[in-house]
Amino acid sequence: MLIEKYTSNWIKDFENLKSEIENGLHGLYFAIEHVGSTSVPNLDSKPIIDIDIIYSKQLDFQKIKSELLKIGYYHNGNQGIEDRDVFKRNSGLTNEILDKIKHHLYVCPINSKALERHILSRNFLRHNDSARLEYQQMKYELAEKANQDRKKYAELKELNVNDFIDSIIEKEKNERTTAKLNLQ
């Protein structure tokens, strides 16, 4: 089955991956965020942990990239998304944790629109049960349409989910604005 029932193991998996990556990037300036569906409690998902490494200066990116290469990743470009670089595991070096837990690793500048999209959608889904359930239902329907094929599912999700994510991001931005206004 492409979509699996939510498990708190995904949080543990993220923490293990984060710890390993932090060890590899020791001494550099960055933050690490768990994003994507596995970061939202009670949201059924593909069992792949999405991770964003966040940096503030371009020089930091070069250092992060260099250290990621040393711990067994390779740089796979931005795959068509501005300000979001993709890193994948390379078969040359092995690491028990990094190779065992399926994950997607992205490196983004702090002002990245892709990063903002990840954080805002994650936060909104964490705090809005109806949106989380609607999104989950969409994912199951797309998985069924794709006959449980990962590649086909990704294509269908790209075509069908963007409007939904855009709408929840707008709601999250509005909620933040309202909260700021209420504080003043």
Side-chain angles (χ1 to χ4, degrees):
M1 195 73 171
L2 189 60
I3 306 295
E4 294 183 9
K5 290 288 182 196
Y6 175 80
T7 174
S8 60
N9 290 338
W10 292 336
I11 303 301
K12 293 175 195 161
D13 287 346
F14 165 73
E15 290 299 332
N16 289 333
L17 289 164
K18 179 181 177 186
S19 178
E20 234 14 67
I21 292 167
E22 285 174 336
N23 288 338
L25 300 179
H26 181 75
L28 301 181
Y29 297 102
F30 62 92
I32 297 179
E33 289 285 336
H34 185 188
V35 295
S37 295
T38 61
S39 71
V40 179
N42 301 311
L43 177 59
D44 299 351
S45 179
K46 290 186 309 185
I48 301 171
I49 309 300
D50 289 324
I51 300 171
D52 284 349
I53 297 176
I54 306 155
Y55 65 91
S56 59
K57 299 176 187 161
Q58 189 59 34
L59 182 59
D60 293 334
F61 172 75
Q62 294 306 323
K63 292 175 183 176
I64 290 167
K65 177 181 174 182
S66 176
E67 295 306 310
L68 287 174
L69 295 175
K70 289 178 187 175
I71 62 171
Y73 287 94
Y74 68 91
H75 184 221
N76 201 39
N78 69 11
Q79 295 185 341
I81 298 176
E82 286 290 315
D83 291 327
R84 187 205 74 177
D85 285 87
V86 178
F87 286 80
K88 295 189 175 193
R89 291 298 293 160
N90 132 6
S91 59
L93 294 174
T94 59
N95 176 291
E96 186 177 320
I97 293 170
L98 299 177
D99 294 331
K100 181 178 137 191
I101 301 170
K102 288 183 181 179
H103 63 285
H104 293 148
L105 182 63
Y106 307 107
V107 179
C108 308
I110 198 162
N111 62 348
S112 164
K113 290 293 181 193
L115 171 65
E116 178 185 48
R117 185 177 178 79
H118 284 167
I119 300 296
L120 290 174
S121 59
R122 175 199 67 192
N123 291 350
F124 190 82
L125 290 169
R126 281 181 175 174
H127 298 103
N128 294 274
D129 287 340
S130 62
R132 177 183 50 79
L133 291 171
E134 182 180 352
Y135 184 51
Q136 180 172 280
Q137 184 60 38
M138 288 173 66
K139 290 166 57 140
Y140 275 111
E141 289 170 5
L142 292 174
E144 191 174 313
K145 276 185 186 176
N147 291 319
Q148 305 301 320
D149 178 274
R150 283 186 192 277
K151 195 170 192 170
K152 183 72 174 161
Y153 172 81
E155 291 170 7
L156 289 171
K157 190 175 170 195
E158 187 71 30
L159 292 171
N160 294 282
V161 174
N162 279 339
D163 288 341
F164 177 76
I165 297 296
D166 289 343
S167 74
I168 66 173
I169 287 171
E170 195 58 38
K171 289 175 187 172
E172 179 69 8
K173 285 181 179 178
N174 289 338
E175 284 183 14
R176 283 182 172 190
T177 301
T178 302
K180 284 181 187 176
L181 293 173
N182 289 337
L183 292 174
Q184 297 176 359

